[in-house]
Amino acid sequence: MASEPSSGDYVVVRHQPGRRVWQFVILLVLSVASMLIGYMVGMAEGGFRFSDMAKTRSMLSEDLAEVREKYAEARREMVTLRRGRRIDEQALADARHSIAALEGRIDELQADLTFYKNIMAPSEANDGLRIQRLELKAKPMARRYAYSLSLTQVDDNRRYIEGVVAVNVIGRQDGERRVIALRELSGEVEELGIRFRYRYFQNIEGVMALPEGFTPLEVQVVAKAEGRSPAQSERTFNWQATVES
């Protein structure tokens, strides 16, 4: 007959089903708490990063606005400088043009001054009738020239001097020398000589037209005073030197 086991051969385990459940609940709670804490920490850190990014973006926006303003200001200054340079260039061109015109006018006045000085205070070598000057100016129409001939009296300005003056243009045509009287070149002159009468000086003006194929070289002027004190003066002008450019 078998013997009953003694108490030393067995371990008595007490069955406690509620304890396992509580352990599971505690682990679950701890796990959820850990997840919540981690999520909150991550959100907090992310919030800080978002805050830093927002601040950085705001600063960059301010810097960009400042750079744009400086760029716009620089463009305005550049436009102003360019406009000022154009104005300065135009002013300089106008000044140069004015200076050139004044210099030309000074030359004209100097020539006029010499002209009048020779009339009012002639030298001993210049007496009686004098052919003072001849000026030619090209007209817009081809081969047409305006002429201005000045005669003076340098002997006795208390009385009038009168007479005739003849003008001839000397040149070459078809390889030969040719002399053409002014009345053949100008419809304003009908006689070989142009009548003059003056006390101090007289300008004779008109327009001449050169024929085709004729090359002018010189202009010959012969003036003859009539009356109680007859006198004659002759002068030849180089065509190229007389024509104004």
Side-chain angles (χ1 to χ4, degrees), residues 68 71 85 87 104-105 112 130 146 148 150 160 182 214:
R68 286 177 175 173
Y71 175 74
R85 184 181 65 181
I87 294 174
R105 182 56 180 161
D112 291 342
R130 182 180 180 186
S148 177
S150 299
Y160 284 88
L182 182 60
F214 178 75

Side-chain angles (χ1 to χ4, degrees), residues 85-159:
R85 184 181 65 181
R86 288 195 295 268
I87 294 174
D88 292 341
E89 290 176 352
Q90 183 62 42
L92 180 60
D94 293 342
R96 288 176 176 173
H97 180 74
S98 299
I99 291 174
L102 289 174
E103 289 178 345
R105 182 56 180 161
I106 290 173
D107 292 338
E108 292 178 0
L109 293 175
Q110 186 63 40
D112 291 342
L113 179 60
T114 302
F115 175 77
Y116 290 116
K117 285 177 65 177
N118 290 334
I119 295 174
M120 304 307 297
S123 62
E124 295 181 358
N126 296 328
D127 54 353
L129 175 63
R130 182 180 180 186
I131 302 169
Q132 183 67 27
R133 63 184 177 182
L134 173 67
E135 294 180 351
L136 299 172
K137 181 178 295 185
K139 302 288 287 183
M141 297 181 63
R143 304 188 67 77
R144 291 178 64 87
Y145 297 86
Y147 63 86
S148 177
L149 175 65
S150 299
L151 304 177
T152 62
Q153 180 181 199
V154 293
D155 184 15
D156 185 0
N157 301 122
R158 292 175 298 178
R159 61 182 180 85

Side-chain angles (χ1 to χ4, degrees), residues 1-238:
M1 183 175 182
S3 59
E4 296 180 357
S6 63
S7 59
D9 295 331
Y10 296 93
V11 177
V12 179
V13 179
R14 294 180 180 179
H15 179 62
Q16 299 178 347
R19 182 177 181 183
R20 290 181 177 273
V21 173
W22 280 107
Q23 290 177 350
F24 176 76
V25 171
I26 292 173
L27 290 175
L28 181 61
V29 171
L30 291 175
S31 298
V32 173
S34 298
M35 293 175 62
L36 289 174
I37 293 173
Y39 176 77
M40 293 178 63
V41 171
M43 289 296 294
E45 292 180 354
F48 286 124
R49 289 196 295 270
F50 292 153
S51 177
D52 292 341
M53 290 178 62
K55 291 180 179 179
T56 303
R57 180 178 180 182
S58 177
M59 294 175 62
L60 290 176
S61 298
E62 293 177 358
D63 293 341
L64 179 60
E66 184 178 357
V67 170
R68 286 177 175 173
E69 178 62 26
K70 290 182 178 180
Y71 175 74
E73 183 179 356
R75 284 185 60 86
R76 289 193 295 269
E77 291 181 357
M78 182 177 65
V79 171
T80 302
L81 290 174
R82 286 180 177 176
R83 186 181 296 112
R85 184 181 65 181
R86 288 195 295 268
I87 294 174
D88 292 341
E89 290 176 352
Q90 183 62 42
L92 180 60
D94 293 342
R96 288 176 176 173
H97 180 74
S98 299
I99 291 174
L102 289 174
E103 289 178 345
R105 182 56 180 161
I106 290 173
D107 292 338
E108 292 178 0
L109 293 175
Q110 186 63 40
D112 291 342
L113 179 60
T114 302
F115 175 77
Y116 290 116
K117 285 177 65 177
N118 290 334
I119 295 174
M120 304 307 297
S123 62
E124 295 181 358
N126 296 328
D127 54 353
L129 175 63
R130 182 180 180 186
I131 302 169
Q132 183 67 27
R133 63 184 177 182
L134 173 67
E135 294 180 351
L136 299 172
K137 181 178 295 185
K139 302 288 287 183
M141 297 181 63
R143 304 188 67 77
R144 291 178 64 87
Y145 297 86
Y147 63 86
S148 177
L149 175 65
S150 299
L151 304 177
T152 62
Q153 180 181 199
V154 293
D155 184 15
D156 185 0
N157 301 122
R158 292 175 298 178
R159 61 182 180 85
Y160 284 88
I161 184 173
E162 59 182 312
V164 293
V165 57
V167 179
N168 300 313
V169 180
I170 304 171
R172 299 190 69 83
Q173 188 170 17
D174 298 330
E176 297 182 358
R177 185 175 184 271
R178 183 181 177 186
V179 179
I180 307 177
L182 182 60
R183 73 172 182 177
E184 298 180 39
L185 305 175
S186 176
E188 304 168 342
V189 181
E190 298 180 355
E191 304 293 335
L192 286 177
I194 301 172
R195 300 294 306 183
F196 63 81
R197 183 178 186 275
Y198 61 91
R199 184 176 177 183
Y200 294 98
F201 70 94
Q202 182 174 338
N203 290 330
I204 299 173
E205 299 178 344
V207 178
M208 68 173 72
L210 301 181
E212 293 292 336
F214 178 75
T215 302
L217 300 176
E218 297 175 328
V219 180
Q220 181 187 50
V221 182
V222 180
K224 184 176 181 180
E226 303 170 346
R228 292 182 301 173
S229 302
Q232 181 171 319
S233 179
E234 181 177 344
R235 187 173 178 184
T236 300
F237 299 87
N238 180 276

